[in-house]
Amino acid sequence: MSERNFETDSGIIINELYTGPGNPDLPGEFPYTRGVQKDMYRGRLWTMRQYAGFSTAEESNKRYKYLLANGTMGLSVAFDLPTQIGYDSDHNMSEGEVGKVGVAIDSLQDMEVLFNGIELEKITTSMTINATASTLLAFYIALAKKQGADIKKISGTIQNDILKEYAARGTYIYPPKPSMRIITDIFEYCSKEVPKWNTISISGYHIREAGSTAVQEIAFTLANAKSYLQAAIDKGLDINVFGQRLSFFFNAHNNFFEEIAKFRAARRMWAKMAKDMGATNPKALMLRFHTQTGGATLQAQQPENNIMRVTLQALAAVMGGTQSLHTNGFDEALSLPTEAAARTALRTQQIIAYESGVVDTVDPMGGSYFVEELTNQIEAAAWDYIAKIDAMGGSVAAIEQGYMQNEIAKASYQYQMNIEKGSKVIVGVNKFNAEQDAMPPIMRVDDSIRIEQMERIKQLKSERNNELVNSGLNQISEAAKDGTNLMPLLVDAVENYATLGEIADTLRNVFGEHKA
């Protein structure tokens, strides 16, 4: 970006920052309302990620190489449902779901194929995984070691945010307390062994997808973040070190100005919250976040309209100061994105970055009465929610009492009622309807994928050293009981080709399963 001239096409010089009335804060300085870097995108653009994963590891590997060749700056891995909830592809519960909403990963062998020809030390990888995050991270670390990488240099993120699963999404396995224990084991292990890894991406995205308001999205996300931070402190971790490895994940929805204000408010709130909990290191006070455009806003009717929705949402994320961004494919209300749709989604980001001019000044909405007032109002309403959650005993207690779930359900119901009544207009759905055009090509994942994965598992189990595998699983079981950090044992087990399902079952036998 440094070689660019910061001027309009008419030759008007663009000032770096608006500092007029109503803007006492500076970007890159506490409380970071206006951005976490002093020069924001004038210095470096956001990371352009495309969330991808489907079918087999081979097919996903082809898509990753395609995206990297087309300008993606980092990979973002989607896993299928069996992988997310700890079942191997040959388990009865996996039938009909293998490779459907993400890639099937049963063992280190699959991970080797997934990243074939991709050097882990040279890219950053985000993995959207929660209940089995520890095992997928172990796979990644084991693969990096096999590639000869220095694991102290590999970087990326695991979502690893189990609290929002109980509140909004549902891909949990174990009860909340042992789940929190696994998460703090990851925090502790990575702080020593994989220091550049972001050990949690605290997610408001799925809270919003479940139907929350913008205020609820940041309030519940930050309340969860507070619980994770306290758990790390209780584990003896230094907030000023550990706090630097936290990242956040937000939704970009349709209300353009509200979304910009939401991102600004979230940064300011986190800086205050972390400071109150003892953080003094500026990097531990900065809310760094990834954004994905709103999946729930995509419509099956007139799907080409989704291109405009995604563009506006992506623009709001950029003007709100995101650190990385995924743009959805316009056909994702119908299926996994086709290659053409994925390319259009990536080009949307590139056009915003290189053609729109919105990156030429820092916090371009700063000083706008509307946005500043929205920022203040969203912050105040979110603090009210957090105060209620604190009074209940924190996020875990609020989730156990069903508070967050009920609030999200009420907001979701009201939103849908507004659509039904027509007071909320969705173009092409409840207004400006048209006879449906021919459906665009959609991507289908064949059920034969499961048979292929089952054969792969069968062969793996016949070739590996099962004595070493069983020994490793027994050690994991004992550690789960006595409180020993699980991560080193998970890495050892997956290096001996224990499967994801075997590890999850071992932990199920100790921790049990959560029932809503």
Side-chain angles (χ1 to χ4, degrees), residues 314-378:
L315 187 59
V318 169
M319 296 182 84
T322 193
Q323 275 61 69
S324 69
L325 177 62
H326 164 88
T327 34
N328 290 328
F330 73 90
D331 54 1
E332 287 190 64
L334 305 168
S335 70
L336 291 169
T338 59
E339 202 168 83
R343 182 176 62 246
T344 298
L346 178 59
R347 294 289 182 258
T348 300
Q349 294 198 50
Q350 292 165 337
I351 289 168
I352 291 171
Y354 295 103
E355 297 186 28
S356 73
V358 298
V359 301
D360 290 350
T361 188
V362 180
D363 187 29
M365 287 293 181
S368 156
Y369 164 76
F370 186 33
V371 173
E372 297 293 351
E373 181 64 13
L374 270 176
T375 302
N376 294 338
Q377 294 287 348
I378 288 171

Side-chain angles (χ1 to χ4, degrees), residues 254 295-306 309 330 333-334 415-436:
N254 280 336
T297 68
L298 300 175
Q299 305 300 328
Q301 299 93 326
Q302 302 177 28
E304 66 279 3
N305 293 344
N306 294 327
R309 292 184 178 103
F330 73 90
L334 305 168
Y415 185 84
Q416 186 59 36
M417 285 299 98
N418 291 341
I419 294 173
E420 300 285 340
K421 290 184 294 185
S423 58
K424 178 73 177 176
V425 173
I426 306 296
V427 174
V429 177
N430 64 357
K431 197 167 186 177
F432 310 114
N433 305 59
E435 188 174 329
Q436 185 69 45

Side-chain angles (χ1 to χ4, degrees), residues 1 16-17 27-28 32 34-46 267 289 317-323 359 361-364:
M1 293 290 290
E16 182 175 12
L17 176 70
Y32 309 104
R34 308 194 66 189
V36 294
Q37 284 101 24
K38 181 179 178 181
D39 57 357
M40 286 302 290
Y41 307 132
R42 287 168 72 105
R44 177 185 175 186
L45 290 174
W46 64 93
R267 270 195 299 271
F289 68 99
V318 169
M319 296 182 84
T322 193
Q323 275 61 69
V359 301
T361 188
V362 180
D363 187 29

Side-chain angles (χ1 to χ4, degrees), residues 203-210 217 249-254 259 262-263 289-297 313 317 328:
S203 176
Y205 182 85
H206 303 96
I207 291 170
R208 193 65 178 279
E209 289 291 283
E217 179 187 353
F249 175 25
F250 290 120
N251 199 305
H253 223 262
N254 280 336
E259 293 303 289
K262 176 189 77 179
F263 298 131
F289 68 99
H290 170 71
T291 310
Q292 181 173 340
T293 56
T297 68
Q313 293 164 8
N328 290 328

Side-chain angles (χ1 to χ4, degrees), residues 13-31:
I13 302 299
I14 303 298
N15 290 329
E16 182 175 12
L17 176 70
Y18 171 74
T19 55
N23 262 286
D25 297 336
L26 293 174
E29 295 183 12
F30 184 89

Side-chain angles (χ1 to χ4, degrees), residues 6-266:
F6 294 102
E7 59 184 49
T8 69
D9 292 341
S10 302
I12 298 170
I13 302 299
I14 303 298
N15 290 329
E16 182 175 12
L17 176 70
Y18 171 74
T19 55
N23 262 286
D25 297 336
L26 293 174
E29 295 183 12
F30 184 89
Y32 309 104
T33 312
R34 308 194 66 189
V36 294
Q37 284 101 24
K38 181 179 178 181
D39 57 357
M40 286 302 290
Y41 307 132
R42 287 168 72 105
R44 177 185 175 186
L45 290 174
W46 64 93
T47 301
M48 298 180 194
R49 296 188 183 277
Q50 286 305 111
Y51 183 51
F54 60 93
S55 185
T56 61
E58 289 92 343
E59 290 300 315
S60 293
N61 177 263
K62 291 176 187 175
R63 176 65 65 90
Y64 296 157
K65 289 177 177 175
Y66 172 83
L67 290 170
L68 289 167
N70 276 274
T72 293
M73 301 172 182
L75 297 178
S76 187
V77 184
F79 299 98
D80 71 359
L81 282 175
T83 303
Q84 292 182 47
I85 54 178
Y87 293 120
D88 287 335
S89 297
D90 60 358
H91 195 284
N92 290 338
M93 291 291 286
S94 300
E95 187 171 353
E97 292 293 346
V98 175
K100 290 295 179 70
V101 299
V103 61
I105 299 294
D106 294 313
S107 71
L108 176 58
Q109 185 181 69
D110 289 327
M111 193 67 95
E112 290 165 359
V113 175
L114 186 68
F115 290 101
N116 180 42
I118 300 171
E119 294 182 56
L120 301 189
E121 202 173 306
K122 293 184 178 179
I123 62 163
T124 63
T125 302
S126 172
M127 295 192 284
T128 304
I129 197 71
N130 296 283
T132 54
S134 56
T135 305
L136 268 298
L137 178 59
F139 285 150
Y140 197 87
I141 291 168
L143 176 59
K145 289 165 71 175
K146 285 197 73 172
Q147 287 186 354
D150 180 350
I151 66 168
K152 293 192 183 299
K153 293 181 180 178
I154 62 171
S155 61
T157 304
I158 44 173
Q159 194 164 100
N160 199 27
D161 175 7
I162 204 65
L163 292 179
K164 67 92 174 50
E165 296 296 329
Y166 302 116
R169 188 162 175 265
T171 63
Y172 46 73
I173 302 174
Y174 321 111
K177 287 184 174 62
S179 292
M180 289 291 283
R181 175 262 172 100
I182 294 171
I183 288 170
T184 55
D185 279 359
I186 295 170
F187 293 166
E188 183 179 53
Y189 173 83
C190 288
S191 67
K192 299 170 185 173
E193 304 297 333
V194 199
K196 290 190 173 182
W197 196 267
N198 296 317
T199 50
I200 192 167
S201 176
I202 305 159
S203 176
Y205 182 85
H206 303 96
I207 291 170
R208 193 65 178 279
E209 289 291 283
S212 81
T213 65
V215 169
Q216 290 170 343
E217 179 187 353
I218 62 167
F220 297 163
T221 303
L222 292 174
N224 289 346
K226 189 175 184 179
S227 293
Y228 293 126
L229 203 56
Q230 188 60 55
I233 292 168
D234 293 344
K235 188 86 170 180
L237 299 180
D238 182 348
I239 188 173
N240 287 305
V241 175
F242 164 74
Q244 298 179 57
R245 303 313 326 162
L246 291 174
S247 66
F248 291 79
F249 175 25
F250 290 120
N251 199 305
H253 223 262
N254 280 336
N255 193 311
F256 185 72
F257 292 105
E258 184 177 49
E259 293 303 289
I260 295 169
K262 176 189 77 179
F263 298 131
R264 299 171 90 247

